[in-house]
Amino acid sequence: MNSVLAARGLVKTYGDVHALAGVDIDISAGDVLAVVGPSGSGKTTLLHVLSGILRADGGDVFLDGRAIGELNETGRSELRRTAFGFVFQSGMLVTELTAEENAALPMLLAGGSREESLGAARLWLGRLGLQGLEKRRPGELSGGQAQRVAIARALAHRPRVIFADEPTGALDTRTGQEMMTALLAAAEETRAAVVIVTHDKAIADRALRVVEIQDGRIAAGSISGAVSA
Ligand SMILES: Nc1ncnc2c1ncn2[C@@H]1O[C@H](COP(=O)(O)OP(=O)(O)OP(=O)(O)O)[C@@H](O)[C@H]1O
């Protein structure tokens, strides 16, 4: 199996709500997978369980064949900092830090030197068209620029998988599409796999594969490409 990330029989419950009711997924390097589905169907829960933010109640997630359910909280948090990158709807940048410091943060937290981390951050900010804005704070950036800082932050430590939850949700259509173009080009360059939760069909259409979640399960016949094992 060549999957970077695989899920087998994922189950997650909140009280009597079955947010995930048995999900199997295989994601390989360079893959771009859009996760779509109605509100409350389990998309964000799936992304959080795949990325080790939440622990599965049943089944497991495998990164390069290694079960992440076996890791303790420290191990999972290290995994999130090193192997995964995250882009959220609102960017979630640290308001007191500059663009380059924000983009360097995962590398700094993972123990990288300031020089090396800021160097990688500047490189990605430049590639994403933000040269000259490195010293600005999030409040001094447009929504689209802030999202590109978030992409640089998700990429600078060269993660295996980038998770994006409604990354274009706060952007106008054109800026959202530009952000997707930047994300996909950057991911292609690093061969990172990308998992995007989105309500936006035009954004899902940019993915290589789309999977629809319904009531915590992959909807029958919803898969474009061979997502399920
Ligand atoms: N922390 C929680 N406690 C209790 N129930 C939760 C919690 N998080 C999610 N749920 C429930 O689990 C189900 C799946 O939620 P989830 O957020 O994964 O759906 P979603 O598809 O991402 O929804 P949306 O598109 O509206 O963001 C829903 O019924 C939701 O109400």
Side-chain angles (χ1 to χ4, degrees), residues 29-47:
D31 209 352
V32 180
L33 177 70
V35 179
V36 302
S39 180
S41 56
K43 303 181 296 295
T44 294
T45 303
L46 175 62
L47 194 115

Side-chain angles (χ1 to χ4, degrees), residues 1-70:
M1 184 175 73
N2 292 322
S3 303
V4 172
L5 197 69
R8 291 290 175 272
L10 278 190
V11 171
K12 180 74 190 172
T13 53
Y14 299 106
D16 53 10
V17 175
H18 293 267
L20 297 179
V23 172
D24 294 346
I25 280 184
D26 285 291
I27 301 161
S28 45
D31 209 352
V32 180
L33 177 70
V35 179
V36 302
S39 180
S41 56
K43 303 181 296 295
T44 294
T45 303
L46 175 62
L47 194 115
H48 286 178
V49 173
L50 285 176
S51 60
I53 292 174
L54 287 174
R55 192 186 276 276
D57 296 317
D60 211 339
V61 176
F62 301 85
L63 177 70
D64 296 321
R66 183 172 172 215
I68 73 170
E70 290 167 6

Side-chain angles (χ1 to χ4, degrees), residues 29-218:
D31 209 352
V32 180
L33 177 70
V35 179
V36 302
S39 180
S41 56
K43 303 181 296 295
T44 294
T45 303
L46 175 62
L47 194 115
H48 286 178
V49 173
L50 285 176
S51 60
I53 292 174
L54 287 174
R55 192 186 276 276
D57 296 317
D60 211 339
V61 176
F62 301 85
L63 177 70
D64 296 321
R66 183 172 172 215
I68 73 170
E70 290 167 6
L71 300 172
N72 61 18
E73 182 49 48
T74 311
R76 281 188 296 138
S77 127
E78 187 182 330
L79 197 71
R80 291 197 296 272
R81 281 200 310 263
T82 55
F84 299 151
F86 295 90
V87 183
F88 299 102
Q89 175 169 352
S90 57
M92 302 244 284
L93 302 174
V94 181
T95 50
E96 295 81 9
L97 299 181
T98 62
E100 65 184 16
E101 288 166 341
N102 265 289
L105 206 51
M107 291 187 75
L108 289 166
L109 290 173
S113 74
R114 196 171 160 79
E115 196 185 351
E116 179 198 13
S117 305
L118 285 174
R122 281 187 206 114
L123 182 77
W124 280 106
L125 290 173
R127 286 193 192 168
L128 290 160
L130 296 175
Q131 48 280 75
L133 305 183
E134 294 90 345
K135 305 285 185 204
R136 293 221 192 152
R137 291 191 164 67
E140 301 162 336
L141 297 169
S142 73
Q145 289 167 343
Q147 265 318 55
R148 278 183 280 157
V149 175
I151 298 174
R153 181 187 56 187
L155 277 159
H157 61 298
R158 292 195 159 255
R160 310 291 315 279
V161 186
I162 296 169
F163 294 98
D165 196 351
E166 299 283 358
T168 62
L171 305 176
D172 63 70
T173 307
R174 207 188 85 200
T175 312
Q177 285 291 347
E178 284 172 6
M179 192 226 126
M180 272 302 281
T181 301
L183 174 63
L184 296 182
E188 192 175 354
E189 191 177 330
T190 62
R191 294 285 293 154
V194 181
V195 183
I196 306 171
V197 167
T198 184
H199 279 108
D200 185 339
K201 189 177 177 310
I203 294 296
D205 284 346
R206 305 277 310 268
L208 298 177
R209 298 188 297 157
V210 180
V211 61
E212 183 179 354
I213 305 294
Q214 263 176 22
D215 297 328
R217 291 193 168 83
I218 293 180

